[in-house]
Amino acid sequence: MIDDETDGMKSAVNPRLGEAAYDALKDRISRGVYRPGDKLTVRSVAETLGVSSTPARDAINRLTAENALVYAGPKTVIIPVLSEFDLREVTVVRIALEGLAAEEAAKNCGASDVERLKALQIQINEGLGRRDYASVLWHNKEFHFHVYGRAGLPRLVGLIEAQWLRVGPSFYGLYPEFAEERYGVRNHEMVIDAIEEGDGRALRAAFESDIRIGYLRLRSAVRARTSA
């Protein structure tokens, strides 16, 4: 567990502040703000989130307990680097959970959801054009979880969040190939088409295709790293 001696006597974490710091750091990790191997300290997290060291430390300790972060020293943690086995495991689980959420969501999606997804896709496309992959990843999560949220199954969405927490930092490995080939764009277009047609099976297939194609690219990145 990380301690910060500069705090002197420890004070209890304000529950609301501690929870907010945890949620914010977890969200940043799952969106790919950090990359595998990146180092985080209490001080850097506190500065990034605009909080004191106590809630920052609490957030780090909770996320290390969830294996979203791993210790690299007495006051430093890193974003873990997924092995090929880890990546395959996450992918198998994602296909099952996200496919189910998508198919359930089709029952509840309508015209306003289509407009929201089209707006998000415009932001994704603009980010791809600028090679601003941080922006692409940020809006990509918005796109996916807008649909999953429409399933009306919050516990299922929570299970999906846990997988994104593991794999989110690895999403940088999709680029620049995904930007050049526009794989994700085509899959997202199929998502929008399926919602417009009210086709739950097609919606599930579109997300499953997105995950599978992404897995193949990320697996190549893992193999290239391990063979270097």
Side-chain angles (χ1 to χ4, degrees):
M1 181 176 292
I2 287 182
D3 284 332
D4 190 342
E5 296 173 358
T6 62
D7 259 359
M9 184 178 296
K10 290 184 181 179
S11 58
V13 179
N14 179 313
R16 291 184 181 178
L17 196 56
E19 191 69 24
Y22 166 76
D23 288 341
L25 183 57
K26 181 173 69 172
D27 189 49
R28 291 173 67 82
I29 293 172
S30 66
R31 288 181 189 270
V33 171
Y34 304 107
R35 303 186 189 191
D38 279 358
K39 294 182 179 181
L40 283 74
T41 64
V42 170
R43 178 173 295 179
S44 68
V45 170
E47 290 176 352
T48 297
L49 301 183
V51 299
S52 68
S53 60
T54 302
R57 187 191 316 107
D58 181 64
I60 288 173
N61 286 335
R62 288 179 65 180
L63 288 164
T64 53
E66 295 175 11
N67 298 316
L69 299 169
V70 295
Y71 290 106
K75 294 185 179 181
T76 304
V77 294
I78 64 171
I79 302 292
V81 179
L82 294 186
S83 67
E84 187 173 337
F85 175 85
D86 294 331
L87 180 62
R88 182 181 181 280
E89 180 182 50
V90 170
T91 301
V92 169
V93 176
R94 286 187 62 204
I95 288 171
L97 297 180
E98 294 176 44
L100 174 60
E103 190 163 3
E104 289 294 318
K107 304 171 186 177
N108 304 317
C109 287
S112 62
D113 299 296
V114 169
E115 292 308 308
R116 174 60 176 158
L117 294 175
K118 286 182 177 179
L120 286 169
Q121 192 58 44
I122 288 172
Q123 292 176 300
I124 291 171
N125 293 345
E126 290 175 348
L128 290 171
R130 299 192 307 269
R131 293 180 175 265
D132 182 357
Y133 303 135
S135 174
V136 172
L137 291 174
W138 188 274
H139 291 103
N140 179 65
K141 186 183 179 187
E142 291 293 311
F143 187 101
H144 279 250
F145 279 83
H146 179 86
V147 177
Y148 304 153
R150 296 294 286 142
L153 300 169
R155 289 182 178 82
L156 175 58
V157 174
L159 293 172
I160 295 171
E161 282 271 14
Q163 300 309 309
W164 278 61
L165 188 59
R166 293 184 68 193
V167 76
S170 298
F171 285 155
Y172 269 101
L174 295 171
Y175 302 104
E177 182 178 332
F178 251 51
E180 294 166 352
E181 300 297 334
R182 298 293 171 117
Y183 293 125
V185 173
R186 289 196 290 273
N187 287 320
H188 284 191
E189 288 171 346
M190 288 191 291
V191 165
I192 294 170
D193 289 344
I195 291 175
E196 287 181 319
E197 295 169 8
D199 189 337
R201 295 181 68 179
L203 185 57
R204 180 173 194 151
F207 277 110
E208 290 178 347
S209 174
D210 196 48
I211 296 167
R212 287 192 177 96
I213 292 173
Y215 165 72
L216 294 176
R217 172 62 195 134
L218 292 178
R219 186 183 65 181
S220 296
V222 170
R223 290 178 175 177
R225 183 185 68 242
T226 56
S227 65

